[in-house]
Amino acid sequence: MKFTEKMWLIFKYSFKDMIRAKWIIVYLLFYLLLGFILLFLNNDLSSSVITIMNIIIILTPLIGTLFGVMFYYNSREFTELLIAQPIRRSRIFMGQYLGVSLSLSLSLVIGLGLPFLIFGLANSAEIFNFIMLIFIGMALTFSFTGLSMWISLRNSNRIKGFGYSVLLWLFFAVIYDGIFLSLLLIFENYPIDQFSLLMSMLNPIDLSRILVLIKLDISALMGYTGAVFQTFFGSNWGIVISGIMLLLWMTTPAYMMVRSSKRRDF
Amino acid sequence: MSRFLGILTCLMISASVFGQIEVCSDCQFKTVPSAIESASPHDTVLVHKGIYPIHNMVITKPITLRGLNRPVLDGEDKGYIVKILSDSVSFTGFDIRRVGISHTEDYAAIYSFRADYLEISDNHLEDVFFGIRLEKSSNVVVKDNIVKGRFSREFDSGNGIHLWHCKNARVEGNDLSGLRDGIYFEFVDDSYVIANRSHHNTRYGLHYMFSNDDDYLDNYFYNNGAGVAVMFSKNIKMINNRFSHNWGTSSYGLLLKEIYDAEIKMNLFEKNTVAISVDGSSRIYYRNNDFIQNGWAIRVTGGCYVNQFTSNNFISNSFDVSYNSKLNDNLFQGNFWSSYSGYDIDRDGWGDIPYRPVKLFSYVVNRTPETIVLLRSFFIDIINFSERVTPVFTPDNLMDDQPSMKKIKW
C-alpha cells in the first residue's frame, strides 16, 4: 500500500481531529504529571523506569483501545461520506488508524520524554532502557488501536463494539495471565519452559513485559535452572525474537482492519 | 595486629643483622635454589630481575626471599614451584607463572606445610592451578598478592589462596580471579580476610568450611559463581563487604549453610540472582545491610531459627524474602522495604501497618519455577495483593511490624 496524497490528507485530518478533541491533551498532561511526580518523589531514574513500565504496559493498550473505538464511532458519518468518494477504502482506514495511533504515541513520547529529559536522562545509563520502554508503549498503542478499530468495523452497534474492545483489553491485560498461571501450575510436572515462552509470545502485553524484564530484571529470571530460559533470557535471542513478535503484533491488527474494511457493507 | 607488627619488625631486624645473598645472571649465584642452599638461617636472598625456571624448590630454613623488579619464577607446568617447610619465611616481590595442573595432586605456586610465621606478600601469580596453599601453618600473613587462574572449568582449576588447618591467618589486599575459589578456608580459626577483591571465579569468591571465629571485612566480590559460601562454621563476622553481579543459575551473593552465631553487618548486595541464600542456619544477626536490585534478597530454605533481620534496606528487589515453609521463627523488624505501601499517620518514622515481605508469587515460583515469566504481571500484582490481605500460603506471622518509612542510614 502506498502512502498517497489522499491518505496523507485523511491522516492529517484525523490527527488534527484527535488534537482538537482535547482528550489527547488530557492524555498528554497525564503523562507529564506522572513523569514529573514520579521523578520528584523518587529522584532515581532507574527505579522510575520500572514503575513506568508497569503503567505503560497496562495503560497504553487501554488508551489505544478506547481512543480507537471512540474515534471510529464518532467519525462514522464522515467516513461513510468519504467512502462515497473515489478513494480506496484501505487508504481511508489506514489514514485514520495512523492519525489516531501516531497522535497517541506523540503524547506518550512528549509526556514521558520531557520530564525524564529534564531530570537528566541524556547523561544516564538508563537512556536505552527508557527508549525501549517508549518504543514498547508505541507498539502497544499501534497494536491495540488497530485491534479496537478492527472490532468496531465489524460491529455497527457501538455498545457492542465498545464492550468487545474493552473485554479484549481486559483479556490480554489480566485474564490471559490468570489462565496462563493456572496452566503452568496444572502441568508443573511436565517440561513446560518452551510452552511458557510460547504463551508469553501470544499476548502483546506479556511480550512487552518480557522485553522490559530481559533488560531490567534479568537477575531474577536467570535464577531459573533450565537451558531454554538460559538461552532465551541470557543471550540476545530473547530480544530479537520478542522484538519480531512485537512487530507482528503491531502490523497484524492493522492488516486485519484494512482487510475487513474492504468486505464491509456500509 | 601487634603480633603481626612484631613479626614484621623481627623480619626487618633479621634482614639488617644477617647476611645478604644476591641472585642474578652474572652474580655468584645464578639460580635461586643454589643461593638458598648456601644461605644461613635468617639471611636475605635478593633475586634480581630475570626469568628463573623453577619447580619444586624446597625451603627448609627461615630466610627472607625478596624479588627486585619482579623476577619471574617459571614453573613450566611441571608441578609445585615453591615449597616452604620452615617457620619464619618471608617471600616477597616475585612474578610466578605456570603451575602444573594435575587431577591427583594439588599443585600450588607457593605451598607450605607446618610452617608458622610466614609472610607472603606483593607477588603476582599467573596461570596457576592452586595459588598459595598453606597447610597446618599458623600466624601467616598473605598480603597484596595478585593471583590469576586459567579461567577454565571448575574441575580443572584450583583455589587462589587455600588454607587448611591454620590459625591466626591474615589475608589482606589480594586480588583473585579466574580460579575455582578465590579464597578457601578449611579448619581455619581466628583469622581475618580483609579488603580483598575476588572476581570471575568459577565457584566462590570466598569459601569457609568448618572454620570458626573468623572475620571478613571490606572485601569486594563480583562476577563469581557465588560470592561467598560459609558452610558448617561458627562465629563468623561478615562486615562491610560488597557482593555484586553474582548472576546465573544457582548463583548467590552469599550462601549460608549450617552455620551458627554469625553477624552480617553493613554489607552491600547488588544485582545478584540471590543475595543471601540461607539453609539450616540459626542465631544469625543481619543488620544494616543494603539489598539493591537483586532477584531474591533473602531466600530461606528450611531449618533456620532465631535469626534477626533488623535495620536493613531492601530496595527494588524482585522478591524481598522467599520462604519454603509455613513456619517462622525469625524476626524481621525495623527494616526499610521499598515496596512497602503503608502509611505513617502518627509520624514516628515507622509504618503503621505491618509489611509482609513474602509474596504469594515467590511461593508460586518456588513451586513451579517456570512461572517466573509472569514476573511483574498485573495479574500477579492482584493475587499478591489478595494474599497480603488474607495470608493463606505464606507464613502469617512473618511480617515486619515496624517497617521504616525512610531508607536507613548508618
Side-chain angles (χ1 to χ4, degrees):
Chain A
M1 188 187 322
K2 276 200 287 187
F3 199 89
T4 58
E5 203 176 322
K6 277 165 187 161
M7 187 165 150
W8 173 245
L9 270 175
I10 293 165
F11 166 74
K12 258 200 327 202
Y13 162 75
S14 318
F15 195 85
K16 274 184 191 159
D17 199 36
M18 284 295 285
I19 289 168
R20 262 208 309 272
K22 304 259 171 28
W23 278 108
I24 203 87
I25 307 292
V26 174
Y27 185 53
L28 170 73
L29 286 178
F30 168 78
Y31 273 130
L32 274 175
L33 203 68
L34 179 85
F36 276 118
I37 287 179
L38 255 181
L39 287 166
F40 180 72
L41 290 178
N42 225 323
N43 227 332
D44 175 22
L45 282 171
S46 66
S47 61
S48 302
V49 166
I50 293 177
T51 317
I52 281 193
M53 177 203 91
N54 286 330
I55 295 165
I56 280 187
I57 63 171
I58 294 301
L59 205 66
T60 49
L62 180 64
I63 299 288
T65 305
L66 293 181
F67 275 90
V69 179
M70 272 175 9
F71 184 87
Y72 177 81
Y73 288 117
N74 280 342
S75 60
R76 191 157 57 176
E77 281 84 17
F78 181 67
T79 311
E80 280 168 13
L81 202 71
L82 278 177
I83 287 167
Q85 305 298 314
I87 311 172
R88 280 162 84 175
R89 281 189 180 184
S90 59
R91 298 211 171 122
I92 299 173
F93 287 99
M94 219 37 212
Q96 289 184 343
Y97 161 73
L98 287 177
V100 175
S101 36
L102 274 176
S103 56
L104 287 173
S105 305
L106 202 66
S107 308
L108 178 75
V109 172
I110 297 173
L112 284 181
L114 210 60
F116 274 78
L117 273 179
I118 290 172
F119 275 79
L121 177 77
N123 306 322
S124 147
E126 294 297 323
I127 185 152
F128 289 108
N129 289 340
F130 182 79
I131 289 172
M132 196 177 78
L133 207 59
I134 294 289
F135 267 110
I136 284 171
M138 283 167 70
L140 285 173
T141 306
F142 275 92
S143 177
F144 277 80
T145 312
L147 280 171
S148 66
M149 285 178 102
W150 179 36
I151 289 173
S152 324
L153 253 169
R154 295 176 66 96
N155 291 283
S156 37
N157 183 339
R158 71 169 64 195
I159 304 293
K160 259 191 179 169
F162 219 91
Y164 287 149
S165 302
V166 173
L167 202 68
L168 190 76
W169 169 78
L170 196 69
F171 175 77
F172 279 134
V174 185
I175 300 166
Y176 187 90
D177 286 353
I179 298 168
F180 190 1
L181 182 65
S182 325
L183 284 176
L184 289 181
L185 291 179
I186 292 166
F187 296 108
E188 64 180 350
N189 295 328
Y190 298 87
I192 46 176
D193 36 11
Q194 275 169 345
F195 166 76
S196 63
L197 284 178
L198 182 76
M199 278 290 276
S200 50
M201 295 289 125
L202 297 180
N203 176 349
I205 295 182
D206 274 355
L207 192 61
S208 319
R209 189 171 48 75
I210 296 248
L211 255 173
V212 180
L213 285 189
I214 290 177
K215 296 293 286 177
L216 299 181
D217 263 316
I218 190 74
S219 48
L221 292 160
M222 291 292 280
Y224 174 78
T225 13
V228 177
F229 276 33
Q230 187 83 301
T231 43
F232 191 81
F233 293 117
S235 64
N236 285 328
W237 270 110
I239 293 188
V240 171
I241 293 173
S242 337
I244 291 171
M245 281 305 289
L246 198 63
L247 214 64
L248 277 178
W249 268 109
M250 264 174 88
T251 48
T252 318
Y255 171 74
M256 296 304 282
M257 181 200 65
V258 169
R259 218 181 64 157
S260 69
S261 77
K262 287 177 188 158
R263 295 186 186 161
R264 169 88 198 261
D265 186 14
F266 281 95
Chain B
M1 188 65 202
S2 60
R3 176 183 273 153
F4 291 112
L5 280 177
I7 302 166
L8 281 175
T9 21
C10 283
L11 287 169
M12 275 175 206
I13 291 165
S14 70
S16 53
V17 171
F18 301 102
Q20 188 166 319
I21 298 175
E22 301 196 14
V23 181
C24 62
S25 52
D26 23 81
C27 302
Q28 188 195 345
F29 295 100
K30 306 234 176 340
T31 64
V32 188
S34 62
I36 292 173
E37 198 167 309
S38 53
S40 22
H42 305 294
D43 276 357
T44 298
V45 176
L46 269 182
V47 183
H48 288 274
K49 191 171 178 149
I51 296 176
Y52 302 88
I54 282 176
H55 60 98
N56 276 321
M57 177 173 78
V58 184
I59 301 173
T60 48
K61 50 186 117 177
I63 51 166
T64 299
L65 259 168
R66 199 184 306 151
L68 283 178
N69 300 322
R70 299 213 166 280
V72 176
L73 307 185
D74 191 341
E76 296 175 323
D77 299 322
K78 282 180 181 161
Y80 288 100
I81 296 180
V82 182
K83 274 184 170 174
I84 302 172
L85 304 176
S86 155
D87 289 354
S88 309
V89 171
S90 158
F91 189 91
T92 317
F94 288 92
D95 261 17
I96 307 186
R97 283 185 201 156
R98 294 200 285 174
V99 178
I101 289 183
S102 157
H103 293 101
T104 49
E105 283 265 350
D106 292 343
Y107 291 137
I110 301 167
Y111 169 76
S112 84
F113 186 72
R114 288 192 195 281
D116 297 344
Y117 302 102
L118 304 180
E119 193 210 340
I120 297 164
S121 59
D122 194 26
N123 301 295
H124 293 182
L125 283 62
E126 228 171 280
D127 292 335
V128 298
F129 183 48
F130 279 73
I132 299 166
R133 189 155 70 88
L134 312 179
E135 295 185 351
K136 302 212 167 188
S137 305
S138 295
N139 301 301
V140 290
V141 178
V142 180
K143 202 166 176 251
D144 301 331
N145 300 289
I146 297 174
V147 185
K148 275 191 190 144
R150 296 171 191 246
F151 296 88
S152 61
R153 289 158 299 178
E154 189 171 320
F155 53 85
D156 48 22
S157 52
N159 304 326
I161 297 173
H162 179 114
L163 270 63
W164 183 72
H165 272 291
C166 295
K167 265 194 164 184
N168 292 322
R170 189 179 177 92
V171 177
E172 189 176 345
N174 301 288
D175 189 299
L176 311 144
S177 59
L179 301 146
R180 183 170 64 197
D181 291 346
I183 303 170
Y184 179 83
F185 275 25
E186 190 170 344
F187 305 110
V188 177
D189 297 342
D190 306 305
S191 297
Y192 290 90
V193 175
I194 303 169
N196 300 285
R197 285 159 73 93
S198 192
H199 52 103
H200 300 98
N201 297 303
T202 46
R203 200 168 66 183
Y204 304 125
L206 167 62
H207 189 179
Y208 285 97
M209 292 292 272
F210 314 107
S211 298
N212 304 324
D213 308 300
D214 297 319
D215 296 1
Y216 67 93
L217 329 152
D218 308 327
N219 300 289
Y220 184 19
F221 306 100
Y222 57 99
N223 291 39
N224 298 298
V228 176
V230 184
M231 300 178 178
F232 310 101
S233 300
K234 285 180 206 153
N235 292 320
I236 307 279
K237 286 199 178 74
M238 322 176 195
I239 299 166
N240 202 24
N241 300 289
R242 192 168 155 200
F243 305 78
S244 68
H245 290 93
N246 296 298
W247 273 5
T249 47
S250 70
S251 203
Y252 317 101
L254 171 58
L255 171 66
L256 306 175
K257 189 170 171 58
E258 301 289 336
I259 77 160
Y260 301 96
D261 302 295
E263 266 180 52
I264 300 175
K265 277 202 279 191
M266 291 154 73
N267 299 291
L268 168 63
F269 298 87
E270 56 177 1
K271 296 189 175 168
N272 303 291
T273 300
V274 180
I276 304 187
S277 176
V278 200
D279 184 6
S281 301
S282 298
R283 297 190 299 278
I284 298 173
Y285 298 90
Y286 302 82
R287 209 180 151 79
N288 292 351
N289 299 292
D290 279 333
F291 297 91
I292 299 170
Q293 289 183 8
N294 300 290
W296 283 263
I298 292 172
R299 190 152 77 177
V300 181
T301 45
C304 298
Y305 305 105
V306 219
N307 297 301
Q308 291 187 7
F309 298 85
T310 51
S311 307
N312 301 292
N313 289 317
F314 292 87
I315 297 165
S316 308
N317 301 296
S318 297
F319 302 100
D320 288 327
V321 178
S322 133
Y323 230 73
N324 72 344
S325 72
K326 282 200 70 181
L327 280 172
N328 175 41
D329 189 36
N330 301 313
L331 176 81
F332 290 85
Q333 204 174 46
N335 300 293
F336 171 73
W337 312 88
S338 67
S339 50
Y340 179 60
S341 55
Y343 43 79
D344 179 24
I345 289 178
D346 54 11
R347 299 191 66 80
D348 60 352
W350 306 109
D352 296 343
I353 50 170
Y355 176 74
R356 296 181 177 281
V358 182
K359 294 174 186 163
L360 175 59
F361 187 48
S362 73
Y363 169 84
V364 172
V365 171
N366 266 344
R367 219 184 95 176
T368 318
E370 286 87 352
T371 52
I372 193 78
V373 290
L374 287 167
L375 183 71
R376 288 187 192 280
S377 143
F378 190 48
F379 181 78
I380 296 298
D381 289 347
I382 295 172
I383 61 164
N384 277 340
F385 177 75
S386 56
E387 171 73 11
R388 203 180 300 160
V389 178
T390 48
V392 179
F393 298 100
T394 53
D396 55 350
N397 60 345
L398 199 160
M399 57 189 178
D400 188 336
D401 51 16
Q402 206 183 42
S404 172
M405 294 304 288
K406 276 193 192 133
K407 193 179 162 189
I408 291 154
K409 292 196 173 93
W410 53 84

